[in-house]
Amino acid sequence: MTKTAEKARQINLASLSPERFEDLIEAVFDAKRVRSATKYLESADSNEFGVLEIDRSGRGHDEGVDLLVTTLMTDCVSTRQFKWLVQCKHKARGGRSVQASDFSKSFSFPDIIQQHRVDGYLLVCSTRPSTGLQRRFDSLKDDGKNQWVIWDEAKVCAEVNRYADILKQFFPDYYEWSQNLVDRDKVLKWAENYGVSKEGIAALDDVV
């Protein structure tokens, strides 16, 4: 398989600049937006959610905030608002995990929650959290007061894959490949069963 073909089969977060990665995460939440809160309240079934409002921080020092996302959450009793502080850490270009040292020494997760009066903190990584940082988040969950969530590379890609318009905008090569997607395994199995040569199978692999 050629390198170009291989890249086309991947959502390549490393192709994005840090600001563009923030744009991507904002686009994901915007795709979940509730266009009419009144209509949502009238029609929502239990255990549904939707994004009500998105606030983007300005450029420069963001004090640990990239997005403030307000959601509507519905359970079997009521519908209520829940506000998330979202911070993005883009390390895909270097390929390393997000570590505690990527935050300033004065940074405090509990304090940032209180400062912005939010209900939860979402860390979005273009790679993954380090073991030490994951342990830190696990310990924060013990307070029982707020929600502490990490989206790693796999979760980000899964969210992006749900929305064709986002794929087309941010990852056009992958989008084009996915639109022409066929069942690769079935094609290669068919070729093997009908005695296609190894060279022929390799050529098919590049195509599908």
Side-chain angles (χ1 to χ4, degrees):
M1 183 186 301
T2 65
K3 290 184 178 180
T4 300
E6 181 63 30
K7 287 181 179 180
R9 294 185 179 185
Q10 303 174 16
I11 291 178
N12 183 15
L13 298 179
S15 67
L16 305 178
S17 67
E19 185 173 351
R20 192 64 171 157
F21 181 64
E22 292 177 18
D23 291 341
L24 173 68
I25 302 308
E26 182 178 10
V28 168
F29 282 111
D30 189 59
K32 302 176 185 291
R33 188 187 290 270
V34 176
R35 303 304 172 184
S36 170
T38 301
K39 187 177 292 186
Y40 172 87
L41 293 174
E42 291 175 349
S43 62
D45 295 324
S46 62
N47 301 317
E48 289 198 359
F49 70 93
V51 172
L52 184 64
E53 185 177 356
I54 305 169
D55 292 322
R56 177 81 175 263
S57 69
R59 295 185 178 182
H61 186 54
D62 57 17
E63 297 183 341
V65 183
D66 292 314
L67 300 170
L68 291 172
V69 178
T70 304
T71 65
L72 282 174
M73 303 177 63
T74 302
D75 59 22
C76 62
V77 177
S78 67
T79 297
R80 60 198 179 278
Q81 291 189 17
F82 192 98
K83 195 168 187 178
W84 290 94
L85 186 156
V86 182
Q87 186 167 14
C88 302
K89 290 293 184 181
H90 186 40
K91 303 297 178 182
R93 288 184 165 181
R96 69 177 185 84
S97 61
V98 179
Q99 304 175 41
S101 59
D102 290 315
F103 299 83
S104 67
K105 292 182 179 179
S106 61
F107 185 84
S108 166
F109 289 106
D111 287 351
I112 202 74
I113 284 278
Q114 293 181 9
Q115 178 184 343
H116 292 277
R117 299 180 180 179
V118 297
D119 305 295
Y121 179 99
L122 171 63
L123 175 63
V124 182
C125 309
S126 60
T127 51
R128 60 198 174 282
S130 67
T131 302
L133 184 59
Q134 183 65 64
R135 281 200 299 263
R136 172 63 172 146
F137 265 71
D138 291 341
S139 68
L140 288 168
K141 293 177 183 178
D142 293 337
D143 70 6
K145 299 177 182 178
N146 303 105
Q147 293 291 312
W148 304 91
V149 178
I150 297 177
W151 283 8
D152 61 9
E153 177 185 10
K155 174 62 175 177
V156 171
C157 290
E159 287 291 333
V160 171
N161 254 317
R162 297 177 61 187
Y163 305 104
D165 288 346
I166 295 178
L167 285 174
K168 188 175 182 179
Q169 178 182 357
F170 290 87
F171 308 101
D173 290 342
Y174 178 86
Y175 173 79
E176 184 177 349
W177 169 78
S178 66
Q179 294 304 295
N180 297 304
L181 188 63
V182 297
D183 193 325
R184 171 179 172 272
D185 291 337
K186 286 185 177 180
V187 170
L188 296 180
K189 187 66 175 179
W190 173 88
E192 182 180 344
N193 289 341
Y194 280 85
V196 176
S197 67
K198 290 183 179 180
E199 291 78 9
I201 292 176
L204 276 174
D205 194 22
D206 276 340
V207 172
V208 300

